[in-house]
C-alpha cells in the first residue's frame, strides 16, 4: 500500500528533478530555483529557495554525506551548494558553454559528471572542483547519467537513443545503440554489485520516449571487457517514461511518465506493484529516500508529491516494539535483541528456568551469542552440564538460522560470511568488510579472495551505498 502524505507546491514552473539525502529533499525547476526540505516534516529549510542560476535548473544531486548539493542549468553552469548554509561553494563552467542537462555525483563523492546539449561531457574532481577530462557524443544531447555503485564507471544516455558506458579516463567501454527508440530520458544504476566466478555484474534501469522502462545486466569480465544484456522490458505506462529511480536496497524501481502516472515495480521480478495517479500533468522526476520508505515525484503541474510505502517490511518504521512476536523478532539480527527478546526466546525453547539468571546478568542478543561453556558455568552458575549443552546448541541454531535465511547474501562479507559494518570495494569489484580484506591483502600477497587473480591495486573504496542499504535492512527487519 502507498499513501500520499503531502504535496509541495512552492515552485512556480515545471519541476524537473528531485533528490533525497539522508535528511533532506531537494527539488529544482524551470523557475530557476532549487528548494530544500527537511524530510522529518517536509518543512522548507530556512535558506531555501536557492537562487543563483540564470535559467531553468534541470537536475540536482546530493553528495553521499549530504553536505553538498550540485545542480546544473541551461545557463551552462554546475553550482555546488552547502546544505548547511545554502551558500554557493563553487560554480563550474561546462566546457563550450552549452546548456547543461544532467549532472551526477559518484557514490564515493570523488567525481562529478556533467552532460550538455551539444553532446559534450565533463568529468570533475569533486573535492577540488577542478576539471579532469572531457568527452563527447556527436550530434546529440546528453540527458541521462548515472555512476556505478563502485564509482569506477558511469553510463550516459542521449536523445539519439543510445546508452554509453565510460571509465574515468573518458574511454567508451560499451555502446548500446538504439537502447530506446526516439531517445533515452533517464538511466540509473542499482545500488548493488552482483558477483560470481570471473564476472562482476551491475544492474541498470533506463527509460525513454518509446514508453518503456528497461532493466539491463552489465557484466564486467576478468579480462576487462563489458557486455550489456537486456533482462526486462516493462510496459506499464502508455506514454514516454521520463524518469526512473531504484530504492536504496535495489528491490524497488519507480518511474514517472507523460501519461501522468507513477509506477512502482518489484525490480528483481519485474512485477508492477502500484500505479499512482495524483499528478495533473507529466511526471518528470522521481526519487527514493535512502533512509525511509518514501518516494518523491515531481511534475509539470509544478508540484512534488511525497508518498509513503506502507506494505510489509518496506512500510515499517523500524522502531523497537516491546512484546514482539516470534515472527517479528525473527526478522531482527540476534545481536540486536533486547534482554526481553532473549527472555521470551528462552521460554519458547523450553529454557524458562534460566530467565531469572539471564535477566539478573543483563544478557541481551549480543551477550547471548558470546556465551561459552566457561561463562555459563563460572559467571551464570549453571551447574547442569546437560542444560549448558542444550543452551549452546540452541544458540548455535540461532547463528545458523541468521546466516542461512535472515541476511541477504550480498550483505555478507565473502571472507568472513558475516554482516558487513564497513563495506569497501576492492580492485576486483567485490565488496568486503574493511578489516577482513585489509588482513587478507596483508597476508595473501594481494590476490583476490573471489577470483585468485592479482589485485591491480590495494586501494579500497568505501561502499556508502551498500552501507546505507545494510542500515536500512537492519531497521526494517
Amino acid at each position: 500500500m502507498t499513501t500520499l502524505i503531502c504535496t509541495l507546491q512552492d515552485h512556480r514552473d515545471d519541476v524537473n528533478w528531485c533528490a533525497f539525502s539522508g535528511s533532506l529533499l531537494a527539488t529544482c525547476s524551470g523557475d530557476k530555483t532549487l528548494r530544500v526540505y527537511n524530510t522529518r516534516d517536509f518543512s522548507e529549510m530556512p535558506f531555501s529557495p536557492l537562487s543563483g542560476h540564470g535559467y531553468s535548473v534541470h537536475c540536482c544531486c546530493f553528495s553521499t554525506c549530504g553536505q553538498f548539493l550540485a545542480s546544473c542549468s541551461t545557463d551552462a553552469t554546475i553550482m555546488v551548494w552547502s546544505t548547511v548554509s545554502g551558500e554557493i561553494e563553487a560554480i563550474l563552467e561546462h566546457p563550450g558553454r552549452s546548456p547543461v542537462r544532467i549532472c551526477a555525483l559518484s557514490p564515493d563523492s570523488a567525481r562529478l559528471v556533467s552532460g550538455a546539449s551539444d553532446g559534450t561531457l565533463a568529468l570533475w574532481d569533486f573535492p577540488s572542483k577542478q576539471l579532469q577530462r572531457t568527452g563527447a557524443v556527436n550530434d546529440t544531447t546528453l540527458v541521462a547519467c548515472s555512476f556505478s555503485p563502485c564509482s569506477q564507471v558511469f553510463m550516459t544516455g542521449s536523445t539519439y537513443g543510445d546508452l554509453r558506458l565510460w571509465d574515468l579516463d573518458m574511454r567508451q567501454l560499451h555502446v548500446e545503440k538504439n537502447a530506446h527508440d526516439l531517445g533515452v530520458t533517464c538511466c540509473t544504476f542499482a545500488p548493488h554489485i552482483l558477483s560470481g566466478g570471473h564476472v562482476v555484474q551491475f544492474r541498470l534501469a533506463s527509460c525513454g520516449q518509446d514508453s518503456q522502462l528497461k532493466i539491463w545486466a552489465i557484466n564486467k569480465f576478468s579480462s576487462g571487457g563489458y557486455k550489456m544484456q537486456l533482462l526486462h522490458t516493462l510496459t506499464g505506462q502508455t506514454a514516454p517514461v521520463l524518469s526512473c529511480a531504484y530504492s536504496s536496497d535495489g528491490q524497488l524501481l519507480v518511474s514517472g511518465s507523460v501519461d501522468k502516472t507513477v509506477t512502482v515495480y518489484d525490480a528483481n521480478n519485474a512485477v508492477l506493484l502500484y500505479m499512482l495517479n495524483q499528478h495533473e500533468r507529466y511526471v518528470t522526476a522521481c526519487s527514493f529516500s535512502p533512509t525511509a520508505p518514501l518516494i518523491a515525484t515531481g511534475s509539470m503541474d509544478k508540484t512534488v508529491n511525497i508518498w509513503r510505502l506502507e506494505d510489509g517490511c518496506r512500510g515499517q518504521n523500524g522502531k523497537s516494539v516491546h512484546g514482539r512476536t516470534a515472527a517479528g523478532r525473527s526478522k531482527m539480527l540476534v545481536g540486536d535483541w533486547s534482554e526481553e527478546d532473549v527472555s521470551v526466546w528462552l521460554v519458547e525453547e523450553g529454557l524458562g528456568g534460566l530467565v531469572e539468571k539471564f535477566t539478573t546478568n543483563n544478557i541481551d542478543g549480543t551477550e547471548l551469542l558470546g556465551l561459552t561453556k566457561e561463562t555459563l558455568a563460572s559467571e551464570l552458575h549453571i551447574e547442569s552440564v546437560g542444560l549448558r549443552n542444550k543452551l549452546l546448541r540452541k544458540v548455535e541454531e540461532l547463528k545458523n538460522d541468521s546466516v542461512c535465511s535472515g541476511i541477504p547474501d550480498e550483505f555478507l562479507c565473502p571472507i568472513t560470511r558475516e554482516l558487513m559494518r564497513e563495506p569497501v570495494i576492492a580492485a576486483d569489484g567485490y565488496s568486503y568488510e574493511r578489516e577482513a580484506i585489509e588482513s587478507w591483502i596483508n597476508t595473501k600477497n594481494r590476490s583476490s579472495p573471489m577470483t585468485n587473480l592479482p589485485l591491480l591495486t590495494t586501494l579500497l573504496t568505501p561502499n556508502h551505498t551498500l552501507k546505507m542499504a545494510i542500515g536500512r535492512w537492519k531497521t526494517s527487519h
Side-chain angles (χ1 to χ4, degrees), residues 407-418:
I407 306 174
D409 190 66
E410 60 267 26
F411 294 170
L412 300 175
C413 173
I415 298 173
T416 65
R417 298 304 296 167
E418 295 177 355

Side-chain angles (χ1 to χ4, degrees), residues 12 173-174 320 381:
R12 294 174 296 169
L173 304 173
H174 180 82
S320 298
H381 306 293

Side-chain angles (χ1 to χ4, degrees), residues 14-19 26-34 53-61 70-79 98-104 115-117 141-144 185-186 242-243 284-286:
D14 300 352
V15 176
N16 294 327
W17 203 273
C18 51
T27 62
C28 60
S29 166
D31 63 11
K32 309 177 188 178
T33 70
L34 296 98
H53 284 294
Y55 294 97
S56 177
V57 187
H58 294 291
C59 178
C60 59
C61 53
S71 61
C72 62
S73 166
T74 301
D75 64 13
T77 68
I78 305 95
M79 289 190 175
S98 182
V100 184
R101 296 295 305 277
I102 190 70
C103 60
S117 295
T141 296
L142 293 174
V143 292
T185 52
C186 186
L242 302 180
S243 58
T284 51
C286 55

Side-chain angles (χ1 to χ4, degrees), residues 334 337 341-342 345-346 358 362-372 376 391-392 394-396 398-399:
V334 178
W337 282 9
D341 290 324
V342 172
W345 174 77
L346 287 170
F358 274 56
N362 305 114
I363 304 297
D364 59 13
T366 301
E367 296 290 337
L368 178 67
L369 294 176
L371 291 176
T372 65
L376 292 177
L391 175 60
L392 291 175
K394 295 294 184 181
V395 171
E396 194 61 32
L398 272 181
K399 293 179 180 178

